[in-house]
Amino acid sequence: IIGEGPGREEDLQGTPFVGRSGKLLDTALAGLGIPASLFHIANIVKCRPPNNRKPTHAEALACRPLLQQQFRFVKPKIILLMGSAAYQFFTGDTNGRITKLRGKWLQAGGCDILPTFHPAYVLRSPSQKVHLWSDLEMIRDKLVELGYLEQDQA
Ligand code: URA
């Protein structure tokens, strides 16, 4: 699971997605029966950009070796890209609009990749929650399809 960058709470604790966005994400994943042992959460950039602005391309590039190292450890099979920054920096499609791309599988390097909304966006626009939920259901179904999760566990 890839987000954008640490918020204030994450910066203080040194752990991704421990603030409000993280709580929403945890609730959704737990509600879908996806155990924490099946995922790893990372960010495109590893430090909080000033005033919580979107990371620059240079910042994303500077942090890329760290993300690559996380990939080498985790060896993900399924990648959830949350928000336009994660989508754009990860894929290099800098014009890609998350509203158009979310909920559609992409494939690269033997991984199934799903762009979705960022939980912080959903917190600001609660009517979009249904889309984040249905994308997470797609993740749950893919975990079942690939044999990481039992149908009745989910
Ligand atoms: N938003 C992100 O993109 N990452 C975090 O770790 C927290 C909030």
Side-chain angles (χ1 to χ4, degrees), residues 3-154:
E4 179 176 314
R8 189 160 50 104
E9 207 46 51
E10 287 77 15
D11 228 20
L12 288 171
Q13 295 192 36
T15 308
F17 284 99
V18 289
R20 281 184 73 215
S21 295
K23 294 204 167 64
L24 178 71
L25 182 64
D26 287 348
T27 305
L29 292 168
L32 288 167
I34 301 176
S37 57
L38 284 186
F39 59 86
H40 179 86
I41 305 185
N43 280 311
I44 292 285
V45 295
K46 309 305 185 186
C47 299
R48 183 174 186 238
N51 301 319
N52 228 16
R53 63 156 167 72
K54 186 175 168 176
T56 63
H57 197 249
E59 288 163 348
L61 271 183
C63 291
R64 197 156 69 175
L66 295 165
L67 190 60
Q68 285 169 334
Q69 207 167 3
Q70 287 176 289
F71 266 71
R72 281 196 286 276
F73 279 117
V74 175
K75 299 188 179 66
K77 292 282 180 288
I78 304 171
I79 302 171
L80 181 68
L81 299 173
M82 297 196 307
S84 64
Y87 171 81
Q88 291 176 357
F89 289 126
F90 189 82
T91 62
D93 173 13
T94 49
N95 294 317
R97 304 292 305 261
I98 200 74
T99 40
K100 288 239 168 69
L101 295 155
R102 60 142 285 275
K104 298 185 188 115
W105 287 108
L106 308 168
Q107 264 83 32
C111 292
D112 291 296
I113 303 169
L114 190 69
T116 191
F117 288 143
H118 194 288
Y121 168 68
V122 165
L123 284 170
R124 289 193 303 274
S125 308
S127 64
Q128 302 301 316
K129 201 171 182 172
V130 61
H131 299 301
L132 176 60
W133 247 249
S134 71
D135 296 346
L136 291 172
E137 279 173 354
M138 290 172 70
I139 294 285
R140 191 256 334 263
D141 293 348
K142 183 64 79 178
L143 286 166
V144 172
E145 182 190 319
L146 297 182
Y148 292 104
L149 200 61
E150 298 284 332
Q151 182 76 59
D152 49 7
Q153 220 181 316

